[in-house]
Amino acid sequence: MPVPLPRPPALLKGLVTVVLAAAFAAQAVAALLPHVPLLLAATAVSLATEGALHRWQRGVLSLFAKSHADITVRHVLRDLLLVVGLLRLGEQERETVYVPLVAGLLAFYALHCAIQAVSVLVRRTRTLPVVTRNIDASALRLSPAPSVLLRRPGQRLLVFGLPATAGLLAAAAADEPRYAAAGIALSVALSLAGLGALLFRLLPSRRPAGEQEVLDWFDAWLASYRPTVGLYFSGGASSAYQVNMWLEPLARTDGRPVIVLRERFMVQKIAATDIPVVCLPKVSTLMRLEHSTLQVLIHPSNSGKTSQVLRIPTIKHTFVNHGESDKLSSCNPYAKAYDQVWVAGSAARERYALAEVGVEDKDVVETGRPQLDAVRPAAARPSEPGGEAAGGRVTTVLYAPTWEGWDGNPGNTSVIAAGENLVRALLADPGVRLLYKPHPLTGSVDPRAGAADLRIRELIRAANRERTGARVPDDAELARCTRELDRLTTAVFRAGADTVERMLVQSAPEPGRAEAVRRATAAWEEAYWASLPEGEHQVVTDARPALYSCFNAADLLISDVSSVISEFLASEKPYAVANTSGLPEEVFRTAFPTVAAATVLTPDAAGVPALLETVRHPAKDVLAEARAELKLRLLGPADPPSQQRFDAAVRALCAAAREHRARIAARLTAERPTADLPGQRTETTGDGAGLPVTPTAPR
């Protein structure tokens, strides 16, 4: 087996490291000889390499730092070698001339350390215990962040130290110490100015509010806004889609919604919404929700930090998941930790019962999937250029495989074993337009999935190069819609803005923004699909168009056993599932009920031509009735609408939370007079009753 070649990034990192090490070695040799041309050239190469590292290869910088060869060490070594070279060039009695220069360099590095220490203090004053979005936090004395140059030691040392290094180089070339003195003086002056700018931000009037002041403000906001239902989420950057899919249903509830996050970076990952967003990184801050009017928290995913919020006894918790499928993750035993589990239809209820994971049937509530209101049924799908259904010019096929998962099961994703075969079979049909939308986590666990994904994309690009579809001559409408949607949904931050500055920019939204975003999104999607070249295949990886928009554009879905097929059933259009599990088809259908109304494809994709025939000729579609029946089992009835059932579940669980608070308060009052309970204070619950706050206890 041939040895695989290193990836280009690894080669580049190695090359940069070798060049930098060679430059330092050459500089040392030139300083000791001494050899002025070599000293100048080696120093110039070293500085240029440093600039390239900070601009394009920041990963290499972290490797150097782990080896205790960070930017400060490298910069000191570079200047030290220049000083050695100058001393070697001059006569022995001239060494005293350079003593003030060495002292100036030492002063510059001392100032560099002082700036770094003060920048840490400034950063701490700007690290608030609560991060918000869509909330007016002007009372916290928010301000723009300091310059990035003052916050990043590597860049600062390169820029502020450049005059000193340049002066030393000029002194070596011209044998004139005054050049070095001038450069060092300029570096010291720049450092003093930077230090003064940071010290100015530590003045009481220039600092944001302190921790206790922020917490008092947050308590006051909770008392003023009086939230009733919240969406709780904790996770990595790539998992933001799990919470984003629930934003619209939450915004349409009757209560006063709030989004509760735990990671600061996640605040910017939440999609455009008018719902107030609060990030509470510390457990002690999170526990302040116990004294609020918040009654229900909705959980779209499980995480290690979920157990922390479950300790709050005054809040009812429900698990809604971020998608339902036949995989074991859809009936995780962790679900029994919640007060209720909200599912789409009866199939999920049966799934929990069969799994025997401790979730009682009385705690399962069927609410449907309210976000699927955006999925149009097959009969309501409008015609569009290049996308007509049966009998039109092309058949649009959406291939949306899931990712490989954590358990290594080969049946999780079709990308590795069947993806390329499926795509080749679809591309071989001139009447097919393929939309390829891989899962965001594809390749995150198994490198083979990532490699197969890249090969699939290349197949699609090659197929597009061979096609000669006529392009729409003017896409000005799409550009206009994009600008409008970006204006409404994208916050513009200054380069280097920190969380405090983002809080300042993302204050309370303008009235009516949510409705404007909905209209702009619909206009953008219409313009996007109309602008595509006729029959051109698409790789969809950006946030736009969304998955449900792809559903509406597609005539057929090919996917894996995942929540995608359950949600696509809302359209009742044909779908197929790739069987890469190794199970016979009948066993596969029995093991995964969501496959009951699907065409099952083998890894060799031999069934693709026949599948396309059933889409183009509805008379051959023998699974239409089965899809309608399965849709009812998976997603519940169409009447009442899912959003109404979701709202009813929210109201019922809020009422249960209020009743629970009332019972606890009555029990405490009966067992022990309130006057004898030190430290208790009365709060107002969501229904307006004055109740004593109970101490936090494990659930």
Side-chain angles (χ1 to χ4, degrees):
M1 179 180 294
V3 178
L5 295 174
R7 293 178 297 175
L11 287 173
L12 187 56
K13 290 179 181 178
L15 179 61
V16 169
T17 304
V18 170
V19 170
L20 191 58
F24 274 115
Q27 191 181 11
V29 171
L32 294 174
L33 286 177
H35 190 282
V36 174
L38 180 59
L39 184 64
L40 297 177
T43 305
V45 170
S46 177
L47 286 171
T49 306
E50 290 281 6
L53 284 174
H54 281 82
R55 180 65 178 85
W56 295 294
Q57 290 291 321
R58 292 188 177 275
V60 179
L61 294 176
S62 62
L63 294 177
F64 284 149
K66 292 176 182 177
S67 304
H68 300 286
D70 60 12
I71 180 63
T72 303
V73 173
R74 297 195 303 273
H75 205 86
V76 169
L77 179 59
R78 188 180 299 113
D79 286 349
L80 176 62
L81 291 173
L82 284 174
V83 171
V84 170
L86 287 171
L87 293 175
R88 294 279 295 162
L89 286 170
E91 299 295 335
Q92 186 171 0
E93 62 271 11
R94 295 181 57 190
E95 290 183 0
T96 56
V97 176
Y98 291 97
V99 171
L101 301 182
V102 174
L105 278 176
L106 292 176
F108 166 69
Y109 286 113
L111 286 171
H112 167 71
C113 294
I115 292 175
Q116 184 59 24
V118 176
S119 70
V120 170
L121 293 177
V122 171
R123 184 174 68 246
R124 288 179 179 175
T125 65
R126 297 178 65 83
T127 304
L128 306 184
V130 179
V131 180
T132 65
R133 180 175 149 190
N134 297 335
I135 299 174
D136 182 6
S138 56
L140 301 180
R141 300 191 302 276
L142 307 180
S143 62
S147 169
V148 173
L149 196 61
L150 298 177
R151 290 150 47 199
R152 295 180 180 173
Q155 291 185 7
R156 182 179 65 247
L157 191 56
L158 278 177
V159 174
F160 287 4
L162 184 60
T165 304
L168 292 171
L169 282 172
D175 195 17
E176 179 53 68
R178 287 181 299 180
Y179 294 147
I184 293 172
L186 181 55
S187 291
V188 169
L190 290 173
S191 298
L192 285 171
L195 181 60
L198 288 175
L199 287 172
F200 181 71
R201 287 179 172 271
L202 291 179
L203 296 175
S205 61
R206 291 291 176 175
R207 285 185 307 206
E211 180 173 357
Q212 189 57 50
E213 188 177 352
V214 174
L215 294 177
D216 292 342
W217 170 86
F218 179 59
D219 289 340
W221 178 82
L222 287 173
S224 173
Y225 180 65
R226 299 172 58 77
T228 56
V229 57
L231 189 64
Y232 179 90
F233 188 76
S234 172
S238 59
S239 61
Y241 72 95
Q242 299 174 358
V243 63
N244 286 334
M245 68 171 57
W246 285 100
L247 296 181
E248 188 66 21
L250 182 67
R252 286 187 281 175
T253 57
D254 297 331
R256 290 179 294 279
V258 64
I259 299 171
V260 181
L261 306 176
R262 302 301 307 282
E263 292 80 21
R264 297 175 189 272
F265 66 83
M266 188 59 69
V267 174
Q268 299 306 319
K269 297 295 182 181
I270 300 300
T273 180
D274 286 359
I275 302 174
V277 179
V278 296
C279 177
L280 311 174
K282 294 183 179 179
V283 178
S284 58
T285 310
L286 179 70
M287 291 303 160
R288 303 180 90 85
L289 295 178
E290 179 180 359
H291 309 318
S292 73
T293 57
L294 190 62
Q295 299 158 14
V296 169
L297 275 178
I298 298 171
H299 300 256
S301 69
N302 299 312
S303 73
K305 294 180 180 179
T306 300
S307 61
Q308 297 170 351
V309 75
L310 291 178
R311 294 170 56 194
I312 301 179
T314 57
I315 298 177
K316 292 292 184 180
H317 301 267
T318 181
F319 182 62
V320 294
N321 214 332
H322 52 275
E324 294 180 7
S325 69
D326 290 324
K327 290 186 289 190
L328 293 178
S329 58
S330 290
C331 47
N332 193 310
Y334 199 105
K336 64 186 176 184
Y338 302 95
D339 295 289
Q340 290 185 352
V341 176
W342 295 356
V343 299
S346 59
R349 180 188 293 275
E350 296 168 6
R351 189 182 300 121
Y352 273 109
L354 292 173
E356 298 183 1
V357 293
V359 176
E360 298 185 27
D361 187 70
K362 66 180 179 62
D363 296 328
V364 179
V365 179
E366 297 178 30
T367 63
R369 298 285 286 181
Q371 52 270 88
L372 295 183
D373 291 348
V375 179
R376 293 192 295 264
R381 178 172 173 256
S383 61
E384 54 195 63
E388 288 81 350
R393 289 171 290 175
V394 298
T395 300
T396 299
V397 180
L398 172 62
Y399 177 39
T402 190
W403 66 305
E404 57 270 26
W406 300 108
D407 57 5
N409 190 327
N412 286 342
T413 178
S414 60
V415 170
I416 299 174
E420 292 172 84
N421 293 333
L422 290 170
V423 169
R424 285 194 182 95
L426 292 168
L427 298 179
D429 190 318
V432 165
R433 175 180 69 170
L434 174 62
L435 307 178
Y436 174 55
K437 188 172 178 61
H439 192 284
L441 296 179
T442 298
S444 60
V445 172
D446 192 337
R448 296 178 302 165
D453 171 57
L454 293 177
R455 291 194 297 269
I456 290 173
R457 299 186 192 206
E458 181 53 37
L459 286 173
I460 294 173
R461 284 192 290 268
N464 280 335
R465 287 194 293 267
E466 296 177 2
R467 288 202 171 185
T468 57
R471 285 190 169 274
V472 176
D474 185 9
D475 59 354
E477 179 63 15
L478 177 61
R480 186 193 66 79
C481 291
T482 301
R483 287 193 300 270
E484 176 64 12
L485 188 53
D486 286 343
R487 183 186 68 81
L488 292 169
T489 61
T490 305
V492 180
F493 300 119
R494 186 177 57 89
D498 60 2
T499 55
V500 169
E501 185 171 343
R502 293 189 181 102
M503 284 176 62
L504 179 63
V505 173
Q506 294 178 307
S507 186
E510 298 178 359
R513 188 183 67 169
E515 181 58 33
V517 169
R518 280 192 286 271
R519 292 195 303 267
T521 300
W524 183 91
E525 290 177 350
E526 182 179 354
Y528 171 80
W529 295 113
S531 70
L532 295 181
E534 183 178 336
E536 183 179 84
H537 311 296
Q538 302 295 320
V539 177
V540 183
T541 55
D542 294 334
R544 304 173 196 157
L547 177 63
Y548 298 159
S549 180
C550 294
F551 283 178
N552 294 333
D555 304 307
L556 165 70
L557 168 72
I558 299 179
S559 187
D560 306 320
V561 176
S562 71
S563 61
V564 172
I565 59 177
S566 303
E567 294 173 349
F568 188 77
L569 270 170
S571 69
E572 296 190 28
K573 290 185 283 192
Y575 72 103
V577 179
N579 179 12
T580 56
S581 65
L583 299 174
E585 180 175 332
E586 290 306 315
V587 178
F588 183 66
R589 289 184 181 275
T590 302
F592 303 107
T594 54
V595 184
T599 298
V600 176
L601 297 174
T602 54
D604 60 7
V608 167
L611 171 64
L612 293 173
E613 277 296 300
T614 63
V615 176
R616 289 165 176 156
H617 302 90
K620 300 180 180 180
D621 182 9
V622 298
L623 294 172
E625 185 175 343
R627 288 197 300 274
E629 295 175 357
L630 185 59
K631 174 187 174 183
L632 181 62
R633 287 191 63 238
L634 291 178
L635 303 178
D639 190 29
S642 181
Q643 183 66 45
Q644 290 185 19
R645 285 182 281 153
F646 182 80
D647 291 345
V650 170
R651 288 193 297 269
L653 197 54
C654 283
R658 293 194 298 270
E659 293 170 3
H660 175 259
R661 292 188 184 191
R663 287 195 302 271
I664 295 299
R667 187 180 307 133
L668 287 174
T669 302
E671 293 176 354
R672 191 173 181 183
T674 303
D676 295 338
L677 296 178
Q680 282 201 340
R681 54 192 177 88
T682 301
E683 295 288 338
T684 303
T685 62
D687 60 354
L691 299 177
V693 175
T694 58
T696 302
R699 290 174 59 81

